[in-house]
Amino acid sequence: MQKYSGQKRILVATDCIIFGFDGWNIKLLLVQRGLEPEKHKWSLMGGFIQPSESPDDAANRVLELRTGLKNVYMEQFQVFGQPGRDPVERTLSIAYFALIDIHQYEKQLSEEYHPEWFLLDEMPELIFDHAEMVRLALRQLRYKAALHPILFQLLPEKFTIPQLQALYEGVYQTKFDDRNFSRKLLSTGLLVKQPEKDKLSSKKGAFYYKLDQSHYVENFESFLNLVPNPEKFF
């Protein structure tokens, strides 16, 4: 017997994949599901779209309801609609993703659904097809980071080269050669070296840098070679 053969409706939901950077690591925000099936298991932030809502409005409402997070820019990237992805009813999900500064939003987190940040390589088992959503969202994030300098938006005004390298390594889940990465970064000519050092990360310390905002817009393409052969990560 075909699954959902007696069902006359198709539900539409939205799921939010929120990646976060804590200064050194990329993490994924998850909540505990509040209803059966799979109650109390780890899940993305999801919910059904109301008749009066656009998908964008629904995604923002669901994210705030499940986590307390507000004013997060999310990008719609794919519809997931495999038959059987939801064991109760035939459901399509419009997926959104974002990459945020964890420290900027940490005070907004509510406790109702027990939101928790997980390292990507320590992600627990997720309900339904949510692990596949995360995999494809990470691929999309890597693609964007290779073509646009979006990762700089997550850094503080002053940052170190190891801090920026950690951000790129977290997104691409790989290790870049320290000297080569530093050389490419400094060759852009868009970093302004500061006199002070970060002494917390190592005994020697690492100099702080600032982004040269006055020439950033017209020369940001110089950052696009930081990831060699980015297609291998897709």
Side-chain angles (χ1 to χ4, degrees), residues 4-203:
Y4 312 130
S5 59
Q7 183 177 331
K8 296 182 179 180
R9 65 176 184 172
I10 296 179
L11 302 177
V12 182
T14 183
D15 282 289
C16 305
I17 302 103
I18 308 298
F19 299 109
F21 181 59
D22 67 1
W24 290 102
N25 297 290
I26 296 291
K27 297 180 178 179
L28 175 69
L29 185 61
L30 299 173
V31 294
Q32 291 182 316
R33 182 171 165 86
L35 68 160
E36 297 291 354
E38 309 285 5
K39 188 174 183 179
H40 300 313
K41 292 190 176 180
W42 291 105
S43 165
L44 297 171
M45 290 64 71
F48 293 112
I49 298 175
Q50 302 301 318
S52 61
E53 289 181 314
S54 69
D56 288 3
D57 290 339
N60 282 285
R61 174 184 58 80
V62 166
L63 180 62
E64 183 177 356
L65 175 67
R66 301 283 186 259
T67 67
L69 297 184
K70 296 183 287 187
N71 301 318
V72 174
Y73 172 76
M74 293 183 287
E75 181 174 320
Q76 183 186 128
F77 79 101
Q78 189 165 327
V79 174
F80 291 82
Q82 279 292 104
R85 61 171 300 275
D86 188 314
V88 179
E89 286 194 84
R90 180 83 164 91
T91 304
L92 305 180
S93 179
I94 302 173
Y96 288 77
F97 79 98
L99 176 59
I100 66 173
D101 177 351
I102 289 177
H103 300 305
Q104 182 180 343
Y105 289 91
E106 60 187 350
K107 292 183 179 179
Q108 290 186 14
L109 285 179
S110 67
E111 293 299 323
E112 184 175 357
Y113 292 92
H114 308 288
E116 188 170 332
W117 291 102
F118 289 88
L119 292 169
L120 293 180
D121 58 1
E122 296 178 2
M123 184 177 71
E125 182 178 350
L126 303 181
I127 66 168
F128 307 158
D129 57 353
H130 287 194
E132 176 70 359
M133 290 184 178
V134 172
R135 184 183 72 82
L136 294 177
L138 184 58
R139 185 178 72 173
Q140 184 72 5
L141 175 61
R142 288 169 176 169
Y143 178 79
K144 285 200 66 177
L147 297 180
H148 305 280
I150 60 171
L151 301 186
F152 282 85
Q153 300 170 11
L154 298 179
L155 294 170
E157 182 183 6
K158 294 189 301 183
F159 56 88
T160 65
I161 290 178
Q163 190 176 17
L164 179 58
Q165 184 172 337
L167 174 54
Y168 271 85
E169 290 177 346
V171 168
Y172 289 95
Q173 292 290 282
T174 192
K175 184 74 174 71
F176 295 120
D177 179 77
D178 294 351
R179 289 187 178 181
N180 195 37
F181 187 89
S182 179
R183 178 183 59 78
K184 286 183 176 181
L185 192 59
L186 294 176
S187 70
T188 65
L190 288 176
L191 296 188
V192 181
K193 191 175 183 179
Q194 304 300 296
E196 65 268 32
K197 285 185 174 183
D198 169 24
K199 294 292 185 65
L200 298 178
S201 302
S202 67
K203 291 182 179 179

